[in-house]
Structures are given as structure tokens and as C-alpha cells.
Amino acid sequence: MSDFDIIRQRAEQRKGGADALKAMLPAMPDNEALRALPDDRILSQMTRRIFYSGFVHKVIDNKWPGFEEAFDGFDPAALNIAPDEYWHDLTVDDRIVKNGAKIMSVRANAAFVRALANEAGSAGAFFADWPREDHIGLLEALSKRGNRLGGATGQYFLRGIGRDSFIMTSDVLACLRDAGVPLSASGTSKKDQQLIQQTFNRWAQETELPLTYLSRICGLSIDAPKE
């Protein structure tokens, strides 16, 4: 029995059986759908994830139609040429959450999305074509080239646009440690990230499951120790 067979069986036992576990899995990643995702939807998802950080998600969700309206449908081309006055007015716009730093992140990320489209034909194609075996490299690119897209925000953004991905939650890190992966206490060092990528690559080869499923099953198989 492989390492991941043990993890999957434990998840099934914890969650009420194979069918119950299957019902908890997200949609199967669709690379072609990601490739076809318009740039404005990429920027919209980036923005939503950034505003989720530090806020109750329901607050952002309830105001989201106002966000779409205030940011002109998140059209990167239009936002790239919007004058300073446009961005200043958004800081007092009741349709959105008035957080200046996060509002300005939209301006920076509009330029980021445009740059990706210039490189790959579209931002969706950029994310779809990045090798699955180097997911950590993609997260690093988001952190370095995007604005406020590091850490969990970048990970959940990629999951939100349908990119096949793992998310390094505390439960996933606990699962990896239980499987014998020698992670540090934080689990966030470059060495840790390399070990995490290597482990998920091995599990993907063994099981032929997408990273998204492997990550979710791993997280459901165990609870992280409470501090």
C-alpha cells in the first residue's frame, strides 16, 4: 500500500466513507477552462482573494456586485489607463470596502495581468501552461510579480480560478509530517517547499490524481495539533 492509499483510507474513515469523502472534493481542475478564462475574471478573483484577507468573507461577498461596478468589471486595459483621480475616488466609494492599500493593489495587479497576457496570450494561458510539477515556482512568481498575492492569498487565488494546485493549510502540513516528510516547525522554508512539491509530485505519479484532490484528501485525513 502506498503512502497516499493510507492517507485516503484514513480520510474515508474520518469522513464517513468513500462516497462521503468524494462529495467533499472540489471540481476536477479543467486546464482548458482556465486557459479560456478572460483576463478580467482573473483580476476579479485576485482582488476578491486579497480583500478576503482580514475581512469576514460574507462581508466581501455581499458587497461584490458593488466591487464589480466600482472597478469597471475589472477590465485590466481600462484600469491600466485610469487616472490617479479614479483611484482616489475609490477610497471613499461606499460600494466597496474602503481599504486604500488593497484598492491600490488592484491597480498594480491590473498591470500584472496585462504583462502576463503579453507574455502568454492571456493570463489564463499563463496559469494553465505553468508546469504542475513546479507549483511552488508559480506561487513564488505570484508573490514576486503580483501585489499582495503571497502566502495563502496566492494559493487560494489559484484554487479559485481552477488551477490544479495544493494548498499548504495547517492540516495539510500535519498530514505531510505524519507521512514522514521532515518539515521544519513553520513548514514555510524554501527547503520545506521543495519537500512538499516533491511529495505531491510523487503522490500524483502514484495515484494519477490531480494536486487539488491530493491536497484536499490530505487535509481531510488529519487535524493539525492545536497550540
Side-chain angles (χ1 to χ4, degrees), residues 35-112:
R35 186 185 305 281
L37 195 64
D39 289 346
D40 62 278
R41 294 304 87 201
I42 298 279
L43 182 58
S44 175
Q45 186 64 223
M46 284 182 179
T47 304
R48 195 168 193 147
R49 291 295 166 180
I50 288 168
F51 273 87
Y52 273 167
S53 179
F55 289 97
V56 175
H57 290 192
K58 187 176 180 180
V59 171
I60 304 302
D61 291 341
N62 288 342
K63 293 180 78 73
W64 199 251
F67 274 81
E68 290 282 349
E69 186 177 83
F71 286 103
D72 294 330
F74 292 99
D75 178 2
L79 293 175
N80 263 293
I81 61 173
D84 291 344
E85 292 78 11
Y86 171 88
W87 299 99
H88 178 268
D89 290 347
L90 284 170
T91 64
V92 293
D93 194 323
D94 290 333
R95 292 174 295 178
I96 65 174
V97 173
K98 292 172 282 190
N99 181 298
K102 292 185 178 185
I103 289 168
M104 294 311 295
S105 77
V106 183
R107 189 178 200 177
N109 285 327
F112 175 41

Side-chain angles (χ1 to χ4, degrees), residues 59-217:
V59 171
I60 304 302
D61 291 341
N62 288 342
K63 293 180 78 73
W64 199 251
F67 274 81
E68 290 282 349
E69 186 177 83
F71 286 103
D72 294 330
F74 292 99
D75 178 2
L79 293 175
N80 263 293
I81 61 173
D84 291 344
E85 292 78 11
Y86 171 88
W87 299 99
H88 178 268
D89 290 347
L90 284 170
T91 64
V92 293
D93 194 323
D94 290 333
R95 292 174 295 178
I96 65 174
V97 173
K98 292 172 282 190
N99 181 298
K102 292 185 178 185
I103 289 168
M104 294 311 295
S105 77
V106 183
R107 189 178 200 177
N109 285 327
F112 175 41
V113 168
R114 289 281 284 174
L116 297 182
N118 287 335
E119 292 171 22
S122 71
F126 176 89
F127 291 117
D129 290 341
W130 193 283
R132 186 177 73 159
E133 296 77 16
D134 184 33
H135 186 63
I136 289 295
L138 180 55
L139 293 174
E140 185 177 7
L142 276 179
S143 179
K144 288 184 175 179
R145 298 184 61 184
N147 188 280
R148 304 177 78 94
L149 290 172
T153 299
Q155 294 175 56
Y156 281 103
F157 156 69
L158 292 174
R159 180 65 62 81
I161 62 172
R163 160 79 188 187
D164 189 18
S165 59
F166 52 79
I167 297 178
M168 292 173 280
T169 65
S170 57
D171 287 343
V172 168
L173 295 180
C175 169
L176 289 161
R177 291 189 178 98
D178 186 75
V181 182
L183 302 179
S184 70
S186 69
T188 59
S189 71
K190 284 191 175 296
K191 182 179 179 181
D192 290 331
Q193 293 177 354
Q194 291 171 355
L195 288 169
I196 291 167
Q197 182 74 69
Q198 290 167 6
T199 302
F200 273 103
N201 287 349
R202 176 167 56 83
W203 285 346
Q205 188 173 23
E206 288 175 358
T207 64
E208 299 184 348
L209 290 174
L211 298 178
T212 297
Y213 280 21
L214 294 169
S215 174
R216 182 69 171 148
I217 293 168

